[in-house]
Amino acid sequence: MDIVPLYIEGINSKRPLVFAGPCSAENEEQVLATARRLAAIGIQVYRAGVWKPRTKPGGFEGMGIEGLRWLKMVKEETGMLTATEVANARHTEEALKWGVDILWLGARTTANPFAVQEIAESLTGVDIPVLVKNPVNPDLDLWIGAMERLVSCGITRIAAVHRGFSSYEKGLFRNQPQWHIPIELKRRMPELTILCDPSHIGGRPELIYPLSQQAMDLGFDGLMVESHSNPSEALSDKEQQITPETLGRILSLLVIRSTPDTSEFLSEMRREIDEIDDRILNLLSKRMSVAREIGKYKMANNIPVLQPVRYDRMVTNRLAQALGLELDGEFIKLMLEAIHEESVKQQFEIFNKGEKGEHS
Ligand code: PEP
Ligand code: MN
């Protein structure tokens, strides 16, 4: 894919690149008051939704074109660039007509290839940066697929926005961060600019700072944060918006560590890690070959593959051992489950082959 690091003319490329503004453009006064206060803390790109995808009908669905007019006023008065969410070709046309500088695809749109294709085609021949939020479901290929659709219509100024993934169980986060997914995205597309949206991941103000710091420490390029002139009165996502001044304080607290190319210490430690990984892989290979031997024995002696009592004892013993080794119990449990699942799979393969053999 032909993707270059996001370049936006007139924007300071220093990390973090910050997009900030209200969840929704609600009225002229709120849009402009928020914009003035964000400009005062040095924000260069103003975000606001004018078409809002709502979970249930009857909520505030955005101000549409009226909102685009206020965004134009923001640009004229403060000099900030503006960004809004588009979910279909009509939105795109209107946003371009009103001079919006940057577009973004929301999480629900990224999950819908028909909508993404329609938007991509409506942007053919237009040179505009487009941000692609991750789909609501944790599917990296769907996320990359949406970017590919844009690229194939000639859009190369693309950035990904990690906004977390929805889940049925509600825990600490509004949307689960599942950091390994954006990390894998970065591994597959090292040139891609990736922003983090701590507002939609955390769903509450007190999580914005720790999530932003974590994103910076993971090498993200920037942040998209929801900021409202009067959060408690917001018409959408009221629980997660912060004032421009709070955002200013959070940004000033962030420690931005630069990625060192390498150092003698890091090279030495990485060599050690590579050696350990090598040993882990060899041990896993050995473990699977023992599992297959056991499978053959079980097959020959008519013993079922799964031995729940043995499995339970194995997990209990290993967890106790893990505690003594200062290993996280949850992590070890996940690892043991994955190893056990693979062993069982390998044994089933032996059973299936054996059965086929009998009939052939
Ligand atoms: C938003 O940024 O206001 C929004 C609707 O986000 P998401 O698509 O990530 O839910
Ligand atoms: Mn929102």
Side-chain angles (χ1 to χ4, degrees):
M1 237 199 296
D2 195 11
I3 283 186
V4 290
L6 184 68
Y7 168 74
I8 309 175
E9 209 160 328
I11 297 298
N12 185 344
S13 60
K14 221 173 89 213
R15 282 173 73 220
L17 167 64
V18 183
F19 284 54
C23 177
S24 308
E26 299 169 2
N27 56 60
E28 184 180 320
E29 198 204 322
Q30 168 251 6
V31 169
L32 286 170
T34 310
R36 288 181 193 123
R37 286 159 60 184
L38 285 170
I41 62 157
I43 301 297
Q44 296 183 294
V45 189
Y46 187 76
R47 63 139 282 159
V50 302
W51 296 287
K52 300 305 297 178
R54 306 321 304 266
T55 303
K56 288 186 180 174
F60 175 65
E61 298 197 326
M63 297 301 290
I65 294 172
E66 183 92 67
L68 294 177
R69 199 166 59 79
W70 303 326
L71 287 184
K72 191 156 179 269
M73 292 166 80
V74 166
K75 199 166 141 170
E76 284 163 2
E77 189 189 311
T78 66
M80 275 193 275
L81 297 183
T82 56
T84 203
E85 172 174 349
V86 290
N88 57 42
R90 185 180 63 82
H91 293 168
T92 306
E93 279 153 31
E94 294 294 351
L96 293 176
K97 198 160 91 195
W98 284 90
V100 172
D101 302 287
I102 298 154
L103 305 176
W104 86 78
L105 305 193
R108 291 152 196 84
T109 305
T110 307
N112 177 354
F114 292 129
V116 177
Q117 187 62 33
E118 177 188 312
I119 294 167
E121 284 170 18
S122 73
L123 286 173
T124 306
V126 183
D127 180 22
I128 188 166
V130 181
L131 313 184
V132 181
K133 288 200 163 193
N134 66 255
V136 275
N137 52 325
D139 185 338
L140 178 56
D141 286 324
L142 193 58
W143 195 1
I144 294 177
M147 294 188 262
E148 282 174 355
R149 285 177 198 278
L150 291 163
V151 171
S152 58
C153 287
I155 299 287
T156 52
R157 291 199 287 156
I158 286 178
V161 183
H162 170 230
R163 49 79 78 198
F165 302 89
S166 66
S167 64
Y168 185 68
E169 279 80 27
K170 295 295 169 225
L172 174 64
F173 302 106
R174 178 179 177 195
N175 290 292
Q176 301 306 313
Q178 305 213 35
W179 293 104
H180 61 283
I181 297 176
I183 289 171
E184 173 61 12
L185 176 64
K186 190 81 185 156
R187 188 185 72 78
R188 288 206 218 163
M189 300 171 68
E191 295 301 314
L192 179 69
T193 298
I194 308 188
L195 314 180
C196 175
D197 173 345
S199 305
H200 287 88
I201 295 178
R204 39 199 173 117
E206 52 296 8
L207 290 178
I208 291 177
Y209 166 66
L211 285 166
S212 301
Q213 184 63 58
Q214 197 169 347
M216 289 302 105
D217 289 338
L218 288 170
F220 280 59
D221 304 283
L223 302 167
M224 184 191 262
V225 185
E226 284 191 343
S227 176
H228 190 289
S229 53
N230 187 3
S232 61
E233 298 293 321
L235 298 181
S236 61
D237 285 350
K238 175 170 149 164
E239 322 69 40
Q240 71 194 28
Q241 302 205 57
I242 54 176
T243 62
E245 293 70 30
T246 303
L247 175 62
R249 275 193 296 279
I250 289 175
L251 294 177
S252 71
L253 287 174
L254 289 180
V255 179
I256 310 299
R257 301 171 172 96
S258 63
T259 321
D261 289 341
T262 190
S263 71
E264 223 169 282
F265 175 78
L266 280 177
S267 306
E268 183 48 38
M269 289 294 119
R270 284 175 181 153
R271 243 193 316 276
E272 213 169 299
I273 290 271
D274 287 346
E275 252 175 57
I276 294 171
D277 284 350
D278 182 69
R279 280 187 353 235
I280 292 176
L281 286 184
N282 277 304
L283 282 172
L284 277 175
S285 161
K286 217 165 169 177
R287 193 192 192 284
M288 290 306 154
S289 100
V290 173
R292 282 192 296 274
E293 286 309 311
I294 295 180
K296 283 182 202 153
Y297 179 82
K298 285 179 182 166
M299 168 85 194
N301 294 284
N302 252 345
I303 303 172
V305 164
L306 193 61
Q307 312 277 297
V309 176
R310 149 83 191 154
Y311 177 49
D312 180 55
R313 207 178 317 128
M314 189 265 271
V315 172
T316 313
N317 290 344
R318 298 284 185 281
L319 282 178
Q321 187 188 359
L323 279 181
L325 292 170
E326 288 180 36
L327 286 163
D328 180 74
E330 268 309 300
F331 161 64
I332 295 302
K333 194 153 170 285
L334 271 177
M335 190 196 74
L336 290 173
E337 277 166 8
I339 292 176
H340 185 256
E341 193 179 323
E342 179 61 18
S343 291
V344 167
K345 195 176 111 208
Q346 301 249 344
Q347 295 193 3
F348 268 121
E349 273 167 21
I350 286 173
F351 271 50
N352 289 338
K353 266 191 225 142
E355 271 162 27
K356 270 188 225 118
E358 267 172 31
H359 299 298
S360 61

